[in-house]
Amino acid sequence: MTPTTLAPSSAGPRHLLALLLGTALGYSLSRIGFTDYAEVHRMFVFADLRLFLVFMGAVLVTGLGTAVLGRWRSLPHKRVHAGVVVGGVLFGLGWAIAGACPGAALAQLGEGKLYALVTLVGVALGTLAFHALDRRLALLRSDDACG
Amino acid sequence: MDRWPFWVGALALGAVAVATLAATGRPLGVSGFVAAALGRPGAPPRAGSLLFLVGIVSGGLVAALSDAGLTPTLVDAAHARFFGAGVTGALALLAGGVLVGFGTAWAGGCTSGHGLVGVSRLQPGSLVATAAFFGTAVAVSFALSLVLGGTP
């Protein structure tokens, strides 16, 4: 199957699309409950499996859609390296403590949960700190593909 | 906020991931968009990524306005039960955020890029990263409940 992309080539429509897609994601994260510390915690201690079911269902839908678009094989490969283990562990620790992954923290802010600003400052500092270190220590090299 | 049944949430999240790929040609990956919006080393900040992030904030706002309305809050009661409502709670959010930013940058993805798009394509790195972050979050959450008491 040939890869399909409807990506507009000029900046205006591209930027409007990015804004709309982000809005759909933020709205969904809020209505699902990924922005609620208590719900996320209940997922992680298996007290409520709804968020897990959402996630597993979303993986299926994404896989099917990606295959229909003919992109299942052609997207960047995500190989195993030290960072996916150590970085993954650090991310899991942070998610359990702050209760938000990067997208959820942004949607929290939109909901009026102003404390998410503190989480987001942390996310920005952590990202910049990694890139500063990464430039000095090539051994921390991560995949450069969008994450 | 009024919650969707799980299957509506699954369809919505999947649809956003597929629509992002179809409409932009790029896979969905919020931590990657954060890195691109801040400016990766040697690259200028990307406006499209920044607008996607602004969109996520707007989406949360629309969800609040279309539900119970916007009531700004400074503290999450469930989070405060574990970490306190004052400086300790804020420090926990800051430290947690730094770990999320550093960890996702190192892993090359977060819940969306690895967990959703990568796992759906059975990418080895994404499967390992997702096992690592979900597994760690489960272990740490059980520890928090045990040590600090109860489940919010």
Side-chain angles (χ1 to χ4, degrees), chain A residues 96-107:
Chain A
I97 293 172
C101 55
L106 290 160

Side-chain angles (χ1 to χ4, degrees), chain B residues 28-108:
Chain B
L28 174 68
V30 178
S31 65
F33 295 164
V34 170
L38 290 168
R40 289 177 186 278
R46 279 176 44 91
S49 298
L50 182 63
L51 283 166
F52 194 100
L53 304 182
V54 172
I56 301 178
V57 179
S58 325
L61 177 65
V62 173
L65 290 176
S66 62
D67 193 70
L70 187 67
T71 31
T73 47
L74 288 172
V75 172
D76 179 276
H79 190 264
R81 236 191 104 200
F82 280 157
F83 298 102
V87 179
T88 51
L91 281 176
L93 290 174
L94 184 67
V98 169
L99 288 164
V100 169
F102 195 91
T104 55
W106 196 353

Side-chain angles (χ1 to χ4, degrees), chain A residues 6-7 15 22-23 30-31 36 39 41-42 44 50 59 72 75-78 83 87-88 97 101 110 112 114 122-123 140 142 147, chain B residues 2-4 22-23 29 31 51 55-57 59 61 72-73 79 97-98 103 106 108 110-111 113 120-121 123 125 133 141 145 152:
Chain A
L6 311 168
H15 289 166
T23 305
S30 295
R31 292 300 302 270
D36 186 309
E39 282 211 45
H41 183 82
R42 284 197 296 269
F44 287 141
R50 195 179 59 90
V59 167
W72 208 79
L75 286 176
H77 291 283
K78 298 277 200 177
I97 293 172
C101 55
L114 300 180
V123 172
L140 294 185
S142 70
Chain B
D2 201 22
R3 300 285 186 236
W4 277 337
S31 65
L51 283 166
I56 301 178
V57 179
L61 177 65
T73 47
H79 190 264
V98 169
W106 196 353
C110 61
T111 329
S120 82
R121 297 173 55 237
Q123 289 296 304
F133 66 70
S141 297
S145 277

Side-chain angles (χ1 to χ4, degrees), chain A residues 83-109:
Chain A
V84 299
V85 180
V86 189
V89 166
L90 295 177
F91 168 36
L93 179 61
W95 192 2
I97 293 172
C101 55
L106 290 160
Q108 283 179 337
L109 181 61

